[in-house]
Amino acid sequence: MTVSTEMAELLGGSEGIAEGAPDVYRAMCPSRGILEHVTSRWAVLVLAALLTRTYRFSELRRTVGGVSEKMLAQTLQTLERDGFVVREAKAVVPPHVEYWLTEPGKEAARQVYELARWSERQVREVEEARRAYDRRKAARA
């Protein structure tokens, strides 16, 4: 029994998990690459922003605070390659490029949006846990 099967049973059933199906716990499973792409720091924020509406590149860069132009471009290109984002360049001057989510992109965005909101709700508790850990570690030194 794989970890994925055990988790599925724990969460209510393992139907839909076929023998030889993708399993994120396998070292060479392609789902790991997808997971890496949608859960990177910038992808989470880009997907969450695009969940609300279509964005132009410059608008998205302003919305996702701290992202460099290079990292935003790379993130969008990766998400486009994976089929989560559509990029449409309009033939106007100045250039006008818009980005929006595909249906799989919307599904991924909803998942990571919830994770992002959860992390916001945990800030106080995690910061206190870190302080307590640091105090314990310092006391042992």
Side-chain angles (χ1 to χ4, degrees):
M1 182 177 288
T2 68
V3 173
S4 291
T5 304
E6 290 175 19
M7 286 298 288
E9 288 179 3
L10 179 66
L11 296 173
S14 61
E15 61 278 348
I17 299 180
E19 186 67 33
D23 183 346
V24 75
Y25 291 100
R26 283 196 347 260
M28 298 304 292
C29 184
S31 64
R32 283 189 178 189
I34 297 167
L35 184 63
E36 181 180 341
H37 292 169
V38 299
T39 61
S40 74
R41 175 192 342 189
W42 301 121
V44 167
L45 300 174
V46 166
L47 287 166
L50 288 171
L51 190 55
T52 62
R53 65 180 180 89
T54 296
Y55 275 89
R56 291 180 65 178
F57 185 89
S58 57
E59 292 177 304
L60 199 50
R61 184 159 180 231
R62 284 190 299 273
T63 299
V64 180
V67 67
S68 69
E69 188 172 320
K70 178 182 176 184
M71 283 310 303
L72 180 57
Q74 287 177 352
T75 300
L76 286 165
Q77 186 175 35
T78 298
L79 294 171
E80 181 184 8
R81 182 172 184 255
D82 286 350
F84 297 123
V85 169
V86 174
R87 176 187 187 273
E88 181 180 1
K90 303 199 184 252
V92 295
V93 177
H96 182 98
V97 180
E98 292 184 338
Y99 296 90
W100 65 88
L101 295 173
T102 62
E103 286 306 315
K106 290 175 185 174
E107 184 178 350
R110 283 190 289 273
Q111 299 293 324
V112 298
Y113 175 81
E114 287 303 319
L115 180 60
R117 296 288 82 93
W118 174 86
S119 68
E120 290 173 338
R121 292 188 302 272
Q122 303 310 308
V123 168
R124 186 175 296 128
E125 189 173 326
V126 168
E127 287 176 343
E128 179 51 41
R130 288 175 179 169
R131 285 190 294 273
Y133 174 88
D134 292 344
R135 286 191 301 272
R136 287 190 311 270
K137 190 159 178 124
R140 287 182 274 193

